[in-house]
mmCIF file of all heavy atoms in Angstrom:
data_model
loop_
_atom_site.group_PDB
_atom_site.id
_atom_site.type_symbol
_atom_site.label_atom_id
_atom_site.label_comp_id
_atom_site.label_asym_id
_atom_site.label_seq_id
_atom_site.Cartn_x
_atom_site.Cartn_y
_atom_site.Cartn_z
ATOM 1 N N ILE A 35 -2.820 7.367 2.055
ATOM 2 C CA ILE A 35 -3.553 7.405 3.330
ATOM 3 C C ILE A 35 -4.084 8.812 3.532
ATOM 4 O O ILE A 35 -3.333 9.789 3.542
ATOM 5 C CB ILE A 35 -2.632 7.011 4.489
ATOM 6 C CG1 ILE A 35 -2.139 5.579 4.310
ATOM 7 C CG2 ILE A 35 -3.364 7.165 5.819
ATOM 8 C CD1 ILE A 35 -1.167 5.151 5.361
ATOM 9 N N ILE A 38 -8.569 11.297 6.957
ATOM 10 C CA ILE A 38 -9.696 10.640 7.645
ATOM 11 C C ILE A 38 -9.248 9.289 8.189
ATOM 12 O O ILE A 38 -9.586 8.908 9.317
ATOM 13 C CB ILE A 38 -10.872 10.477 6.670
ATOM 14 C CG1 ILE A 38 -11.399 11.852 6.261
ATOM 15 C CG2 ILE A 38 -11.980 9.638 7.298
ATOM 16 C CD1 ILE A 38 -12.498 11.776 5.230
ATOM 17 N N VAL A 49 -9.849 5.243 22.128
ATOM 18 C CA VAL A 49 -10.935 4.462 22.757
ATOM 19 C C VAL A 49 -10.361 3.238 23.473
ATOM 20 O O VAL A 49 -10.793 2.889 24.581
ATOM 21 C CB VAL A 49 -11.967 4.052 21.694
ATOM 22 C CG1 VAL A 49 -12.952 3.046 22.270
ATOM 23 C CG2 VAL A 49 -12.695 5.264 21.156
ATOM 24 N N ALA A 52 -8.761 4.436 26.707
ATOM 25 C CA ALA A 52 -9.776 4.818 27.687
ATOM 26 C C ALA A 52 -10.451 3.597 28.292
ATOM 27 O O ALA A 52 -10.702 3.525 29.507
ATOM 28 C CB ALA A 52 -10.813 5.724 27.027
ATOM 29 N N LYS A 89 -31.395 3.086 76.021
ATOM 30 C CA LYS A 89 -32.593 3.030 76.861
ATOM 31 C C LYS A 89 -32.797 1.631 77.430
ATOM 32 O O LYS A 89 -33.101 1.460 78.620
ATOM 33 C CB LYS A 89 -33.815 3.458 76.051
ATOM 34 C CG LYS A 89 -35.103 3.473 76.846
ATOM 35 C CD LYS A 89 -36.282 3.929 75.985
ATOM 36 C CE LYS A 89 -37.583 3.927 76.785
ATOM 37 N NZ LYS A 89 -38.728 4.357 75.939
ATOM 38 N N SER A 119 -20.235 -22.060 110.355
ATOM 39 C CA SER A 119 -18.795 -22.202 110.209
ATOM 40 C C SER A 119 -18.190 -23.038 111.334
ATOM 41 O O SER A 119 -17.132 -23.631 111.158
ATOM 42 C CB SER A 119 -18.138 -20.814 110.176
ATOM 43 O OG SER A 119 -18.440 -20.096 111.364
ATOM 44 N N ARG A 127 -27.056 -24.804 118.078
ATOM 45 C CA ARG A 127 -28.050 -23.855 117.566
ATOM 46 C C ARG A 127 -29.250 -24.574 116.973
ATOM 47 O O ARG A 127 -30.394 -24.154 117.152
ATOM 48 C CB ARG A 127 -27.384 -22.958 116.506
ATOM 49 C CG ARG A 127 -28.360 -22.049 115.756
ATOM 50 C CD ARG A 127 -28.906 -20.970 116.680
ATOM 51 N NE ARG A 127 -29.843 -20.122 115.972
ATOM 52 C CZ ARG A 127 -31.154 -20.320 115.914
ATOM 53 N NH1 ARG A 127 -31.675 -21.379 116.521
ATOM 54 N NH2 ARG A 127 -31.939 -19.496 115.264
ATOM 55 N N SER A 145 -52.544 -15.790 112.073
ATOM 56 C CA SER A 145 -52.860 -14.380 111.861
ATOM 57 C C SER A 145 -53.566 -14.116 110.536
ATOM 58 O O SER A 145 -54.147 -13.046 110.349
ATOM 59 C CB SER A 145 -51.574 -13.540 111.916
ATOM 60 O OG SER A 145 -50.743 -13.805 110.798
ATOM 61 N N ASP A 170 -19.770 -24.028 102.878
ATOM 62 C CA ASP A 170 -19.962 -23.038 101.823
ATOM 63 C C ASP A 170 -21.368 -23.083 101.247
ATOM 64 O O ASP A 170 -21.791 -22.155 100.569
ATOM 65 C CB ASP A 170 -18.949 -23.275 100.691
ATOM 66 C CG ASP A 170 -17.524 -23.042 101.167
ATOM 67 O OD1 ASP A 170 -17.350 -22.231 102.092
ATOM 68 O OD2 ASP A 170 -16.606 -23.677 100.627
ATOM 69 N N ALA A 221 -67.415 -24.484 104.807
ATOM 70 C CA ALA A 221 -66.108 -23.867 104.549
ATOM 71 C C ALA A 221 -65.538 -24.350 103.230
ATOM 72 O O ALA A 221 -65.744 -25.492 102.810
ATOM 73 C CB ALA A 221 -65.144 -24.188 105.685
ATOM 74 N N TYR A 231 -38.201 -22.026 101.150
ATOM 75 C CA TYR A 231 -36.742 -21.917 101.029
ATOM 76 C C TYR A 231 -36.193 -21.190 102.250
ATOM 77 O O TYR A 231 -36.755 -20.191 102.690
ATOM 78 C CB TYR A 231 -36.350 -21.158 99.760
ATOM 79 C CG TYR A 231 -36.732 -21.878 98.489
ATOM 80 C CD1 TYR A 231 -37.947 -21.624 97.853
ATOM 81 C CD2 TYR A 231 -35.882 -22.823 97.926
ATOM 82 C CE1 TYR A 231 -38.295 -22.289 96.687
ATOM 83 C CE2 TYR A 231 -36.225 -23.490 96.764
ATOM 84 C CZ TYR A 231 -37.436 -23.215 96.142
ATOM 85 O OH TYR A 231 -37.778 -23.884 94.990
ATOM 86 N N TRP A 233 -32.541 -19.841 103.027
ATOM 87 C CA TRP A 233 -31.123 -19.557 102.847
ATOM 88 C C TRP A 233 -30.620 -18.950 104.141
ATOM 89 O O TRP A 233 -31.281 -18.135 104.766
ATOM 90 C CB TRP A 233 -30.908 -18.595 101.689
ATOM 91 C CG TRP A 233 -31.530 -19.062 100.420
ATOM 92 C CD1 TRP A 233 -31.437 -20.305 99.870
ATOM 93 C CD2 TRP A 233 -32.372 -18.299 99.536
ATOM 94 N NE1 TRP A 233 -32.157 -20.372 98.704
ATOM 95 C CE2 TRP A 233 -32.740 -19.153 98.471
ATOM 96 C CE3 TRP A 233 -32.831 -16.990 99.541
ATOM 97 C CZ2 TRP A 233 -33.546 -18.722 97.425
ATOM 98 C CZ3 TRP A 233 -33.634 -16.566 98.499
ATOM 99 C CH2 TRP A 233 -33.988 -17.424 97.465
ATOM 100 N N GLY A 252 -8.079 -6.771 126.063
ATOM 101 C CA GLY A 252 -7.797 -7.300 127.385
ATOM 102 C C GLY A 252 -8.467 -8.608 127.681
ATOM 103 O O GLY A 252 -8.216 -9.212 128.716
ATOM 104 N N ARG A 276 -20.629 -18.276 122.979
ATOM 105 C CA ARG A 276 -20.332 -16.992 123.602
ATOM 106 C C ARG A 276 -20.109 -15.924 122.529
ATOM 107 O O ARG A 276 -20.788 -14.933 122.484
ATOM 108 C CB ARG A 276 -19.089 -17.129 124.493
ATOM 109 C CG ARG A 276 -18.827 -15.882 125.321
ATOM 110 C CD ARG A 276 -17.761 -16.133 126.351
ATOM 111 N NE ARG A 276 -17.520 -14.965 127.160
ATOM 112 C CZ ARG A 276 -16.635 -14.922 128.119
ATOM 113 N NH1 ARG A 276 -15.924 -16.000 128.408
ATOM 114 N NH2 ARG A 276 -16.445 -13.819 128.819
ATOM 115 N N GLY A 287 -29.752 -15.891 121.126
ATOM 116 C CA GLY A 287 -29.297 -14.525 121.357
ATOM 117 C C GLY A 287 -29.449 -13.641 120.155
ATOM 118 O O GLY A 287 -29.397 -14.066 119.020
#
Side-chain angles (χ1 to χ4, degrees):
I35 298 177
I38 295 176
V49 170
K89 182 179 179 181
S119 58
R127 172 69 181 92
S145 69
D170 295 332
Y231 295 93
W233 306 312
R276 188 170 181 180

